[in-house]
Amino acid sequence: MRKRFLRIGAFLGFVSVAFGAFGAHSLKSMLQPDQLATFHTAVEYQFYHTLAILLVAVLMHFGRKNLLVYAGTFFVTGIAFFSGSLYILSIGSILKLNLGMIGPITPLGGLCLILGWICLLLSTFTDYDRKYKEEGEK
């Protein structure tokens, strides 16, 4: 699972940079300022939580993984729902999409991101050093 999160994080990092550049250069002339701001928010949150996914992958190397797997899964789901819905909302007018169903998805994505941070917080109460202390005592 650790390698999966590393790969997902690397891919999402690439997508964050690509979407950020696309928004800053190509979409600037096509979107209204509020739509462009929404797109920018989606990129920001995607990038922040991409770094959190990479952190989860690194921490999985050191100890118990259950809460970290939940954290990483919530972060991935949150990016898909939160940032994904904001991307669609911001460029929906260009694509001529009916956006009625997209609005409620954004808060669900935000909730997933919050749950990811809670799981990451709770994982810090696990004794990661126990494995290394026991090996040192031998």
Side-chain angles (χ1 to χ4, degrees):
M1 200 65 183
R2 184 172 60 89
K3 281 188 178 182
R4 181 176 292 167
F5 283 135
L6 284 171
R7 289 177 182 139
I8 290 169
F11 175 75
L12 289 174
F14 154 74
V15 171
S16 297
V17 173
F19 279 16
F22 179 67
H25 301 289
S26 298
L27 291 178
K28 196 172 189 176
S29 63
M30 296 187 203
L31 298 179
Q32 299 297 322
D34 61 326
Q35 293 170 313
L36 196 58
T38 299
F39 192 88
H40 179 72
T41 299
V43 171
E44 271 188 74
Y45 274 76
Q46 179 175 335
F47 198 73
Y48 297 148
H49 292 91
T50 294
L51 294 175
I53 292 167
L54 293 171
L55 174 64
V56 164
V58 169
L59 289 174
M60 288 177 84
H61 176 74
F62 294 103
R64 294 187 187 176
K65 296 177 176 82
N66 291 344
L67 284 169
L68 292 173
V69 170
Y70 286 121
T73 303
F74 279 128
F75 287 142
V76 171
T77 305
I79 288 171
F81 286 3
F82 185 81
S83 291
S85 66
L86 289 181
Y87 289 133
I88 292 169
L89 286 169
S90 62
I91 64 169
S93 61
I94 296 171
L95 302 175
K96 297 183 179 23
L97 297 174
N98 180 3
L99 304 175
M101 295 299 292
I102 300 298
I105 294 174
T106 308
L108 291 175
L111 178 62
C112 288
L113 296 175
I114 291 167
L115 290 172
W117 287 109
I118 290 170
C119 289
L120 184 58
L121 171 66
L122 294 175
S123 78
T124 66
F125 293 99
T126 303
D127 188 6
Y128 289 109
D129 295 330
R130 180 178 50 210
K131 180 171 81 172
Y132 299 105
K133 288 178 187 173
E134 290 170 0
E135 287 175 4
E137 292 173 2
K138 291 181 184 178

